[in-house]
Amino acid sequence: MTLTLENLGLCVQRNWIIRNINIEVQPGECLALLGPSGCGKSTTLRLIAGLDKPSEGSISLFNKDLKGISPVNRKIGMVFQSYALFPHLTVVENLALGLKVRGYSIAEQKRRISYVLELLQIATLRNRKPQEISGGQRQRIALARALLRDPLIYLLDEPMSNLDAQLREDLRPELRKLIISGDKPVIYVTHDQQEAMAISNRIAVLNNGNLEQIGTPQELYLKPQSIFVANFIGRPQINMFEPLDSIRIAVRPEDIYLDPDGIQCKLIYKEWLGQNQLLFFDTPKGTIRMIGDTALDIPSEPRITWKKQKEHHFSTKSGKRIS
Amino acid sequence: MNYLLLIPATLLLLLVFGFPLIRYFWLSLHASSVLTGLEPIYNNGANWIRLISDGRFWQDLYQTSRFAVFSVGIEMILALVIALLLNNEWKSKQIYRSITLLPWALPTTIMALSWRWIFNTPYGPIDQILNLIGFNNLNILSNPSLAWVGTVIADVWKTTPFIALILLAGLQTIPVDLYEAFRLEGGSPKQSFLYITLPLLKPYLLLGLIFRLAQAFGVFDLIQVMTGGGPASSTESLAIYSYLNAMRFLDFGYSSTIMLASFMILIFVCLSAYIVTITITNNFRRYKL
Ligand SMILES: Nc1ncnc2c1ncn2[C@@H]1O[C@H](COP(=O)(O)OP(=O)(O)OP(=O)(O)O)[C@@H](O)[C@H]1O
Ligand SMILES: [Mg+2]
C-alpha cells in the first residue's frame, strides 16, 4: 500500500501554506517530515487524513485516489501533536469510544483493548483519566488508540514533542517495535533532526511550505541539496562561508582539521561535547567550527584546513546545490 | 491555620445570607402584622399551618414552577443552539455575538415595559400579527389562561443570551483536536455532540441551569411590571405573593413563611435539576472493562 502525494498544495486566503509536495511512502517505510515550526508539517498530515481539502494535487494510496473519500474511510491511525485524548473519559473509555462508534461488540472491544493495554504496558492505568497520568503515559494511550484503529496509514504528528529528552529516547524502541516495523506506511512529523535520523528510513525536509529535499538520512547529511538543508541537518551546524562569485561554500565541522599549511586562525573558545570538543576559530573567512578530539593539542598559532572534496557548493541565487 | 483565611468570607456570607434566613425563620414562627401592632408574638407555628391550607400559595407555587420550568427549559435549549451556531467560524462573528447579548444588557423594568406594549391590544405588533392570521382579540396579557405565556416569552427573550454566553464560553474551552480525532475514528456529528460536547459542557450547563432556576423561581420585577401578577392572579409568583403580604397586607410573619417555604422548595428543585443534568450529560461514562 504505497502512499503517494503528487504535486500537493494548499492555499488559504491567497497564501500557499504548502505547495508542490511530491512524496512517496512505501509500505513498511517510515518517512520523517522534518522542518522548522510553521513550515506546514501538520498541514500535510491533515491533508492526508482528509481533515482539510487540498487546493491542488492529489493523494493516493496504492494507486487509488483518496479524493472524495471521507476521513473515516481513509483508515488513518493518527497521533495528534496534543494527543487529543478525551479529558472526561478514562483510559479504557478513551480507547473504547472509537471501537464503539465503529460498531464492535462489547466482547470484541474488551478483547482488543485488553490486548493493546498489555502490549503497551498500561493496563494499570485503565481507570484513570488523562489528567491523572503522566505525559509519557498519555503518549502511550494515544499510540494505543492509533493501533486500535487498525489503520492503513500511520500519521504521527510530533508524538514526542511534549516529552523530555530522556523519555523520548526511551520510547523510540517501543515506537519502532509497534508501529514503524509494521507493513504500513508511516509518516512521522518532528522538528528534531536527531529524532528524524534515528527513527526513519527517509527524511523529507520542508521549509516554508516547500519540499527542500527528500532522501535517506545519509544522503541528506552527505549531499544536502540546498543551503537550508545543509544548515538544518547536522549538529554542530555546518560552516557556511561568505559567498564568492555567487557560490557559497560549506564544510561540516568534522571535516576541518589542523594543518601546518592551512589558513591562519585564532581559537576563540571551546565547547566540551563529551566524546569530543567543538572549537571555534576566528579566521579571515569568518568564524569556523571544528570538531576535535578531546585530547587534541591546539598550538598557539593554529592553522586549519579541509579537503576540497568535502566542500559543498551552493548557488547563492537559488540556494541550490551545484554539481 | 488555613481555615483562618476563610473567616472574612464566612463572616460576610453569614451576614448577608445566614442572618436574613434566621430572621425569616424566626419571623415565620411569630404573628407580626397590623393586628399585633407589628409586634412579633409567638404563635405556635400558626403561619405554617395557614400556609399548608392556603390555596393561593399552592396556586402561586404552581404558577411559579410553570414559569420557571418553561422559561428555563426553553432558554437552555435555545441558548445551546445559539451557542453552537456562534461557535462556528463565521465572517464578522464578533458582531453576531454582540447583537445576541443586547437583550440581556437591557434593564428588566425597561424591557418588561416594552413587552407590555408589544403584547398590547390593539396597538402592539403581536396583536396585529395574530389578527392577520385569524386570531382576533386574543389580548394575551388580559387573558388569565394565556398571560403567563407572555411572561415566559419575555423572559426567554431577555435571558437566553446570558445562558448562550456561558455555553459559548464553555464550547470554546473544548479543543478542536478532540472532534477531529473522533471524526477520524468514525464518529458522526451527532455522536460527537453526544459523547464530546455535552459531557464537556456539563459544568457550564449546570451553572446556567442552577443560576437561572434560582432566578426564575424568585421572579418579581418582570411580572410586577408586565402584569402585576394579574389578570386574576394568573401570573402571580411566590415572590409577588410574599411581597403583597408584607407590603400591602402588612403581615410580615406570613410573608416570611412564604419566602422561607419557596427557598426550601428552590433548593430541592436545584438539587433535582443538578442530578438530572449530570445523568443526561454523562454519556458513555461508567464503561466497565
Ligand atoms: N486555517 C489556517 N488558516 C491560515 N493559515 C493557517 C491555517 N492553518 C495553518 N496555517 C498556517 O500554515 C502554516 C503551517 O502550519 P502547520 O500547523 O502545518 O505548521 P507545522 O509545521 O505543523 O508547525 P509546528 O511544528 O509548530 O507544529 C503556519 O504558518 C500557519 O500559520
Ligand atoms: Mg504541527
Side-chain angles (χ1 to χ4, degrees), chain A residues 149-256:
Chain A
R149 183 70 180 88
D150 196 14
L152 298 176
I153 312 165
Y154 281 107
L155 303 177
L156 314 180
D157 195 351
E158 307 203 28
M160 314 244 234
S161 61
N162 293 330
L163 310 180
D164 63 65
Q166 180 64 46
L167 198 53
R168 266 189 238 189
E169 277 190 36
D170 293 350
L171 284 171
R172 265 184 221 161
E174 209 164 312
L175 207 62
R176 242 184 244 122
K177 181 181 91 193
L178 291 170
I179 292 185
I180 297 176
S181 58
D183 54 355
K184 313 274 162 57
V186 179
I187 298 190
Y188 187 101
V189 167
T190 173
H191 53 228
D192 177 347
Q193 50 135 349
Q194 239 141 20
E195 193 171 280
M197 294 205 216
I199 222 161
S200 62
N201 311 94
R202 283 191 306 150
I203 300 177
V205 181
L206 277 185
N207 178 31
N208 237 328
N210 294 307
L211 186 57
E212 290 275 339
Q213 186 175 357
I214 180 164
T216 61
Q218 293 83 344
E219 279 168 4
L220 261 66
Y221 190 79
L222 299 173
K223 278 209 159 178
Q225 291 301 315
S226 66
I227 295 181
F228 178 82
V229 176
N231 270 325
F232 199 73
I233 303 272
R235 287 287 172 279
Q237 218 177 6
I238 200 165
N239 293 300
M240 275 285 165
F241 299 129
E242 280 311 306
L244 209 78
D245 298 335
S246 74
I247 291 180
R248 202 166 188 141
I249 296 178
V251 184
R252 297 246 175 239
E254 61 268 37
D255 296 329
I256 310 266

